[in-house]
Amino acid sequence: MVKNMKKFIAIILFWHAVMAVWAAEPRSPVRLAIIGLSHDAVGDFISRARTHADVQLVGIVEPNTALVRSYAQLLNLNTNFFYANLDSLLAKTDVQATAVFTTTFDHRSAVESCAAHKIDVMLEKPLAINMEDALAMAAAAKSNHIQVVVDYETSWYSSIGNAYTIVHKQRAVGDLRKFIFIAGDQGPKDAGCSDTFLEWLTNPVLNGGGALTDFGCYGADLITWFVDGRRPDSVFAESNKFKPEVYPKVEDEATIIITYPQLQGIVQASWNLPFPERSLQIYGNTGYVFAPRMDLLRLRLAGTEESELELQTQPEPGLATDDISYFAAVVRGEIKPAGPSSLQANLITTEILDAARKSIELGKPINLPKSAAWLDP
């Protein structure tokens, strides 16, 4: 019996050793494809993806041959790396995940195509041009068991991640009372966007609006995260065309007021700022926390003066240090999508933006229904 027990223990120790070696081995990179080259953010993303340990870039889908030639030259890629459609790419290689940089209008078709092939998707913000498309994408994802996440640069700001910890983990500023988020820049033309990007970004059909969609989505998404995914009671919005000669089809300025019980969110989206800005102010009933930049955080509590805080580098649970690491972890099943990148938060974000557009059209606040059938239980 002792001899058998020793043999049993030896087997257990052997398998522990095997498992330890296996666990120590580096994980295989996620096989990633790019869909679309019409969004200017794609160049930086491709450059990062080519050298990122978590992914292996296996191909780029883009039907526009002029864009293919341009990016092939810019990034020193062989044109054989590009495909006219997803099916052509899949006929050549296996794909686990895609990052989408099409027009916002084309997000739905991209997600539905990927869902049919059981491929996880990360979309450049925002999720969709309207709630109809957003719900169709959510249905496709659910029925085909894929993950859909939305990439916002603000999700990876250390200042905003730290602000979330201060508000939720430490409860340092008390109960939330006001949330102000300003996002914008000089406008896509003055900011130097490419002609391809400018053409669809200023098209109300392809973008769902102008500054309201382009930058309003940031604030609507972040406040949804900070209020733990609650839907607001009402939304009121106003918009302006300060530069109609430049952007005749869409608004270049918009303000959204999002009302919750005992909390007001104000989102200011602009194509009229002197430089790019993503600034956050959060007021509670006992203090405030400001994140004026991605690397700066200020705190003031009742009875004290404002102080600048040292940022903690450790990200919030469920987040990663960058979008590619996060998406790879989602695809591997190591992280369940949550927070500002999650599909659930972005369905609510789209609902807010839809209500804002309706409010602008009607000139009055839009009351949201108390419940929504699309919300996860």
Side-chain angles (χ1 to χ4, degrees):
M1 183 174 178
V2 173
K3 184 178 180 180
N4 288 339
M5 180 62 70
K6 288 181 177 180
K7 184 178 180 180
F8 176 74
I9 293 173
I11 292 172
I12 293 296
L13 292 174
F14 169 77
W15 280 111
H16 272 294
V18 170
M19 293 299 291
V21 171
W22 176 81
E25 291 180 353
R27 297 166 297 182
S28 297
V30 169
R31 295 176 61 80
L32 175 72
I34 305 291
I35 297 180
L37 294 171
S38 63
H39 195 297
D40 282 358
V42 71
D44 172 71
F45 186 90
I46 292 173
S47 296
R48 291 187 293 116
R50 292 173 73 181
T51 59
H52 205 293
D54 283 328
V55 297
Q56 177 189 357
L57 191 58
V58 296
I60 298 172
V61 175
E62 176 53 64
N64 186 318
T65 55
L67 282 176
V68 168
R69 288 194 299 269
S70 176
Y71 275 97
Q73 182 178 9
L74 177 66
L75 300 171
N76 194 27
L77 288 168
N78 193 303
T79 53
N80 292 334
F81 197 68
F82 297 80
Y83 299 83
N85 54 62
L86 181 61
D87 288 337
S88 298
L89 172 58
L90 293 176
K92 294 285 187 178
T93 188
D94 177 52
V95 175
Q96 294 174 270
T98 62
V100 177
F101 293 89
T102 64
T103 71
T104 307
F105 177 86
D106 288 326
H107 281 186
R108 176 176 175 175
S109 61
V111 168
E112 290 176 338
S113 179
C114 289
H117 294 287
K118 313 296 184 184
I119 297 172
D120 293 327
V121 183
M122 181 165 69
L123 300 162
E124 176 66 15
K125 64 83 188 169
L127 172 65
I129 59 168
N130 55 39
M131 201 62 186
E132 179 183 352
D133 278 14
L135 292 176
M137 293 153 68
K142 185 176 182 178
S143 62
N144 290 280
H145 308 289
I146 70 163
Q147 304 284 359
V148 174
V149 298
V150 182
D151 190 11
Y152 294 82
E153 62 175 277
T154 44
S155 298
W156 321 112
Y157 283 12
S158 56
S159 59
I160 291 178
N162 278 252
Y164 186 87
T165 298
I166 289 169
V167 169
H168 282 276
K169 306 298 182 181
Q170 302 172 5
R171 290 194 55 81
V173 300
D175 297 330
L176 292 181
R177 290 292 180 258
K178 187 175 289 290
F179 181 105
I180 302 172
F181 188 80
I182 301 173
D185 57 22
Q186 308 94 314
K189 185 173 179 64
D190 290 335
C193 291
S194 68
D195 291 342
T196 300
F197 190 27
L198 183 65
E199 182 179 354
W200 73 258
L201 193 63
T202 59
N203 184 312
V205 174
L206 299 180
N207 187 40
L212 175 73
T213 307
D214 187 27
F215 287 121
C217 62
Y218 283 101
D221 176 66
L222 282 176
I223 192 171
T224 298
W225 181 37
F226 271 84
V227 300
D228 296 322
R230 285 186 291 150
R231 295 166 60 246
D233 291 340
S234 68
V235 175
F236 177 71
E238 290 186 344
S239 68
N240 299 96
K241 289 185 178 181
F242 292 149
K243 295 184 282 193
E245 72 284 359
V246 181
Y247 310 113
K249 297 179 181 179
V250 292
E251 77 289 337
D252 53 61
E253 193 78 24
T255 299
I256 311 169
I257 299 175
I258 309 168
T259 302
Y260 303 81
Q262 298 186 313
L263 170 64
Q264 182 187 72
I266 300 172
V267 178
Q268 296 174 304
S270 179
W271 285 352
N272 296 289
L273 301 182
F275 38 71
E277 181 171 356
R278 316 283 186 271
S279 63
L280 170 65
Q281 300 176 35
I282 302 171
Y283 293 85
N285 64 340
T286 60
Y288 67 62
V289 57
F290 291 175
R293 298 198 312 261
M294 64 184 297
D295 58 353
L296 180 61
L297 197 65
R298 298 190 179 112
L299 176 70
R300 183 177 182 183
L301 305 180
T304 70
E305 295 300 320
E306 181 180 271
S307 60
E308 191 171 307
L309 301 183
E310 182 177 348
L311 297 178
Q312 303 299 312
T313 57
Q314 184 66 31
E316 273 293 303
L319 297 180
T321 55
D322 65 86
D323 50 353
I324 296 176
S325 296
Y326 174 82
F327 188 38
V330 167
V331 175
R332 293 190 185 109
E334 298 165 355
I335 291 177
K336 183 178 179 180
S341 299
S342 70
L343 180 58
Q344 183 81 341
N346 282 278
L347 286 171
I348 298 172
T349 297
T350 307
E351 183 182 33
I352 291 171
L353 294 179
D354 262 11
R357 281 187 283 267
K358 188 175 181 181
S359 174
I360 292 168
E361 178 186 353
L362 300 179
K364 65 178 184 180
I366 302 301
N367 295 320
L368 272 59
K370 295 296 183 183
S371 61
W374 45 266
L375 280 174
D376 285 341

